[in-house]
Structure formats: structure tokens, C-alpha cells
């Protein structure tokens, strides 16, 4: 606005982003409270499982190692968004507002979708494709109604995808890359997969043995308001 310094404009943009994130957290609060009770049950079951894995000599049964894949959000958000063919906005768009859920497995291990993909907190700007948290929910909040694709979001994340590659991992004689939408395997170039409201998308890379142990989700339990 006229008369405002660049610092004032940036501060207002950061405030708007903070307000939008607070609204998202408020919508999720009720669901998180319910999930908390479930987490206690799961934790108790996990403790029981660990105890059962210990034999008479006190040694533990072999368990799967933690995932070595940790794909964080890029430090240069603006460059990543530009590489995806998108532009940063001063506020979330309102012409199109949908959400999809993304799950990623690499070599049998779940990979966390990071928070703040497509959000530049310092500048107070945001991409039409972005994440607020690590739930795997991708927000599509665009000033125009258009198709947005899996490849665009993964480029923003810094994890390129093609029919033969996911991030740093490439397919070979023993490793495959498959993408599922609502529990059904998708065909064609995975980077061109178009997002639709409430899609559950699973990206799975690994060997046949690793992938066979994964239960591919067909839906996501959406919190109220999303």
C-alpha cells in the first residue's frame, strides 16, 4: 500500500500467513484431541510388542531399521516454486480450494512429507500448492481454477519424480516405482498426475519384498473443515 515501507508490507504478509496457519491448526484441534487418546492405546501396544520381542536371554528380536530417507523442504522456497512453474502469492488464493493427502514410502520405510513446503515465512508469501504441517495434507489454494500436478508439488519439495526416479532413488531390475490413487495403481507419467479434491495418493518405491509389506491406503480420514 502507498506510504508503507517494504518492511511494513513484509510484516503484514507474515502476519497473514500466521493467521492462516492458526486457522488451519484450530480446525485440526478437535481431531488431534481425539487422536491423542488413540495414541495412548497405540503406545501401550508398542510397549507390549517390545516386551514380547525380548527372549529369555534378554536380547531383542530384529526390527526394521529407521528410514534413512529424510527429504526436508528446500531452503530456497521461491526457487523451488519457480522450478515447479508456479508463482508465490501474497495470500492464499480463493478461486480454488481443495486438499489431497500424500503418503510416500521408500525401501519399505515411510517418508515424512515436511511442513512449510511452498511457504516462505520470511517474505510472508505462499505457493498455491503448500503444506502447513507434517500430516501429508497438501493444500491447493489458488487464485485461478486450474489443474495442479503431483510433479509440481514434488518439485517444490525438492523430490523430483518420473517413471524411473523418485528423489535420489532410481528404478532398476529389483526396484520399482508405483503411484496409487485412492488405493488403485495409476498408469502413465506420475509427474503429470492431476490432483482432485480429497485424493489419497501413495508413492511407493522399493523392492517387491519391501513393497509387499505396505498396506496401500484407499482413503484418508479428513478432519472437519478440510
Amino acid at each position: 500500500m502507498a506510504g508503507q515501507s517494504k518492511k511494513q508490507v513484509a510484516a503484514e504478509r507474515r502476519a497473514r500467513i500466521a493467521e492462516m496457519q492458526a486457522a488451519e491448526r484450530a480446525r485440526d484441534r478437535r481431531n488431534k484431541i481425539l487422536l491423542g487418546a488413540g495414541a495412548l492405546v497405540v503406545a501401550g501396544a508398542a510397549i507390549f510388542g517390545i516386551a514380547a520381542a525380548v527372549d529369555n536371554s534378554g536380547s531383542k528380536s530384529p526390527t526394521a531399521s529407521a528410514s534413512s530417507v529424510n527429504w526436508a523442504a528446500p531452503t530456497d522456497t521461491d526457487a523451488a516454486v519457480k522450478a515447479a512453474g508456479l508463482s508465490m502469492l501474497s495470500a492464499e488464493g480463493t478461486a480454488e480450494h481443495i486438499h489431497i493427502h500424500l503418503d510416500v514410502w521408500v525401501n519399505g520405510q515411510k517418508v515424512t512429507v515436511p511442513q512449510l513446503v511452498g511457504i516462505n515465512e520470511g517474505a510472508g508469501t505462499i505457493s498455491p500448492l503448500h503444506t502447513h504441517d507434517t500430516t501429508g495434507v497438501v493444500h491447493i489454494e489458488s487464485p485461478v481454477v486450474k489443474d495442479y500436478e503431483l510433479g509440481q508439488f514434488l518439485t517444490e519439495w525438492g523430490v523430483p519424480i518420473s517413471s524411473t526416479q523418485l528423489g535420489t532413488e532410481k528404478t532398476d531390475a529389483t526396484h520399482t516405482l508405483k503411484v496409487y490413487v485412492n488405493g488403485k495403481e495409476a498408469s502413465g507419467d506420475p509427474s503429470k498426475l492431476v490432483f482432485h479434491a480429497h485424493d489419497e495418493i501413495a508413492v511407493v518405491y522399493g523392492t517387491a519384498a519391501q513393497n509387499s509389506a505396505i498396506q496401500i491406503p484407499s482413503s484418508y480420514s479428513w478432519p472437519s473443515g478440510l
Side-chain angles (χ1 to χ4, degrees):
M1 294 178 63
Q4 288 186 310
S5 68
K6 291 183 178 180
K7 289 184 177 180
Q8 288 175 318
V9 172
E12 289 181 358
R13 288 177 176 175
R14 285 194 294 271
R16 285 198 295 271
I17 294 293
E19 289 175 0
M20 289 183 284
Q21 292 177 325
E24 294 286 352
R25 288 192 295 269
R27 284 197 293 265
D28 291 347
R29 191 170 294 122
R30 181 185 303 175
N31 187 62
K32 288 181 178 179
I33 291 172
L34 294 174
L35 288 175
L40 291 175
V41 175
V42 172
I47 292 171
F48 178 81
I50 291 172
V54 179
D55 62 20
N56 292 334
S57 65
S59 62
K60 295 180 181 179
S61 300
T63 57
S65 59
S67 174
S68 60
V69 177
N70 181 18
W71 290 329
T75 55
D76 191 341
T77 302
D78 291 9
V81 171
K82 183 178 180 180
L86 301 174
S87 300
M88 298 298 284
L89 310 171
S90 60
E92 292 172 316
T94 57
E96 182 174 19
H97 186 183
I98 63 174
H99 305 87
I100 67 97
H101 186 261
L102 177 64
D103 286 302
V104 178
W105 280 272
V106 173
N107 296 323
Q109 300 297 320
K110 189 76 175 289
V111 179
T112 299
V113 179
Q115 64 180 349
L116 302 180
V117 173
I119 296 179
N120 185 334
E121 289 189 302
T125 53
I126 191 167
S127 165
L129 290 179
H130 57 271
T131 63
H132 289 286
D133 51 36
T134 59
T135 60
V137 172
V138 178
H139 300 250
I140 298 92
E141 291 169 278
S142 171
V144 296
V145 177
K146 58 176 290 186
D147 287 343
Y148 289 95
E149 300 169 345
L150 176 62
Q152 290 177 300
F153 175 75
L154 289 178
T155 297
E156 285 190 347
W157 181 5
V159 181
I161 189 172
S162 70
S163 59
T164 60
Q165 180 177 359
L166 176 65
T168 55
E169 308 293 332
K170 295 183 178 181
T171 60
D172 56 28
T174 58
H175 293 76
T176 62
L177 173 61
K178 296 183 179 181
V179 176
Y180 300 83
V181 180
N182 302 323
K184 297 181 179 180
E185 185 175 350
S187 60
D189 184 350
S191 70
K192 300 300 182 182
L193 182 67
V194 175
F195 290 154
H196 298 99
H198 286 187
D199 274 347
E200 162 55 46
I201 298 174
V203 179
V204 182
Y205 170 90
T207 65
Q210 290 166 340
N211 296 346
S212 66
I214 298 170
Q215 183 174 355
I216 304 299
S218 60
S219 63
Y220 178 67
S221 181
W222 291 95
S224 176
L226 289 185

